[in-house]
Amino acid sequence: MELTVKALHILAVIAWMVGLLYLPRLFVYHAGATPGSELDETLQTMERRLLKAIMTPAMIATWILGIWAAANIAAFDEAWLQIKIAIVVFLTILHMVFARWRKELAAGTSSRSATYFRVANEVPTVAMIIIVFLVVIRPF
């Protein structure tokens, strides 16, 4: 059962990270779209579906399965896991920020530029790299 939980956790993380990496890329294109245009409408649909159908369920599964997996190995007192959890909390907050940005773009009230979203697109990548090294190397 432990390996099944771990495998499901990894799958959930992959799905969530794909969304965290792709959604801000959609924002880059959306920032340049004319409000009310066909592109604007298409991007709104893509962003909403990505967030609601893939990212949010994957985030929830990541949390549930991650806590379950950590409990299976009794690792909550280990520093590497505490740091990982802190980064996952940060990614969860970032997820919520992305949801707010999606709503702003859909409403046509976003003042952020495509460049801003390009930079934001790199944040989940850095967090992911740190998490992978923490989990694999367990330096603490």
Side-chain angles (χ1 to χ4, degrees):
M1 184 65 152
E2 180 180 324
L3 291 178
T4 301
V5 170
K6 186 185 279 189
L8 291 171
H9 175 66
I10 291 168
L11 290 170
V13 168
I14 290 168
W16 187 28
M17 286 307 305
V18 165
L20 286 171
L21 296 168
Y22 186 50
L23 188 60
R25 176 53 51 187
L26 291 174
F27 294 163
V28 170
Y29 305 129
H30 203 160
T34 304
S37 68
E38 185 178 339
L39 178 59
D40 175 62
E41 297 296 326
T42 299
L43 289 169
Q44 284 186 48
T45 300
M46 291 173 68
E47 293 161 359
R48 185 182 66 255
R49 287 181 179 169
L50 176 62
L51 189 64
K52 293 185 185 265
I54 297 171
M55 290 175 66
T56 299
M59 177 188 66
I60 293 166
T62 295
W63 272 104
I64 292 169
L65 294 163
I67 290 167
W68 190 351
N72 280 339
I73 62 170
F76 286 109
D77 61 341
E78 296 184 33
W80 70 268
L81 181 62
Q82 293 170 2
I83 296 167
K84 176 189 173 187
I85 290 171
I87 297 169
V88 174
V89 167
F90 169 76
L91 287 173
T92 302
I93 293 167
L94 187 63
H95 178 112
M96 293 178 216
V97 169
F98 286 177
R100 188 182 74 222
W101 291 350
R102 184 200 67 78
K103 288 179 182 177
E104 290 173 359
L105 284 161
T109 61
S110 177
S111 60
R112 291 173 186 82
S113 68
T115 302
Y116 182 90
F117 292 124
R118 276 189 192 92
V119 172
N121 192 44
E122 302 307 321
V123 175
T125 304
V126 173
M128 178 182 60
I129 291 167
I130 294 168
I131 287 173
V132 168
F133 276 91
L134 284 170
V135 171
V136 173
I137 297 172
R138 297 185 184 183
F140 308 105

